Amino acid sequence: MDRECEERRQKIIAGFRECRNAFTAIGDETRQLILLVLLESDLSGIRVGEIAEKAHLTRPSVSHHLQLLKASGIVAVRREVTKNYYYLSAEETCWEEMAGLINLIFASVQEISSRSQQSEGF
């Protein structure tokens, strides 16, 4: 394995370690539904009750899932006195790291596919 491939492999391994909790968190269908509600909401944030209503879930369920999403770096929260507003943020969450990992893997797959096609005479 050449040096460039090994460096890319090490970056992918590190990216998996860094993003493991986030990928696990977004693998759940209920959390995906909550993320869709957040994507459709005002970017300044939305409260648990509003998310529960729009997602047709109970408040305790939404609170539980939001805590997991927050702990894994997927959503951000802003507190105003006694109210919490949940939102998605490119700067405050791990979305950029996740996208970088996916792009690195995709580039690797493209390179492997290209080499495979070249060796087969395509």
Side-chain angles (χ1 to χ4, degrees), residues 57-101:
L57 298 166
T58 65
R59 288 174 60 106
S61 175
V62 170
S63 291
H64 168 74
H65 288 289
L66 282 170
Q67 290 308 312
L68 293 172
L69 289 167
K70 181 180 164 219
S72 63
I74 298 294
V75 301
V77 62
R78 182 183 81 259
R79 188 168 182 90
E80 289 183 10
V81 189
T82 60
K83 298 176 182 176
N84 291 327
Y85 293 86
Y86 293 88
Y87 60 98
L88 298 173
S89 167
E91 294 81 28
E92 299 173 54
T93 57
C94 64
W95 288 106
E96 186 173 3
E97 291 83 1
M98 293 170 62
L101 174 59

Side-chain angles (χ1 to χ4, degrees), residues 2-82:
D2 69 359
R3 181 183 165 140
E4 185 179 321
C5 287
E6 181 57 27
E7 286 176 3
R8 184 180 295 158
R9 181 179 173 278
Q10 290 304 318
K11 284 181 183 178
I12 291 171
I13 291 169
F16 276 135
R17 280 191 205 115
E18 183 179 343
C19 298
R20 179 175 290 131
N21 290 339
F23 282 119
T24 299
I26 64 172
D28 180 86
E29 288 183 38
T30 301
R31 291 190 280 275
Q32 291 169 9
L33 179 59
I34 291 169
L35 288 172
L36 289 171
V37 170
L38 289 171
L39 283 168
E40 294 169 352
S41 71
D42 181 358
L43 295 177
S44 65
I46 184 170
R47 298 190 57 218
V48 171
E50 295 172 84
I51 297 169
E53 185 178 309
K54 290 181 180 191
H56 305 289
L57 298 166
T58 65
R59 288 174 60 106
S61 175
V62 170
S63 291
H64 168 74
H65 288 289
L66 282 170
Q67 290 308 312
L68 293 172
L69 289 167
K70 181 180 164 219
S72 63
I74 298 294
V75 301
V77 62
R78 182 183 81 259
R79 188 168 182 90
E80 289 183 10
V81 189
T82 60

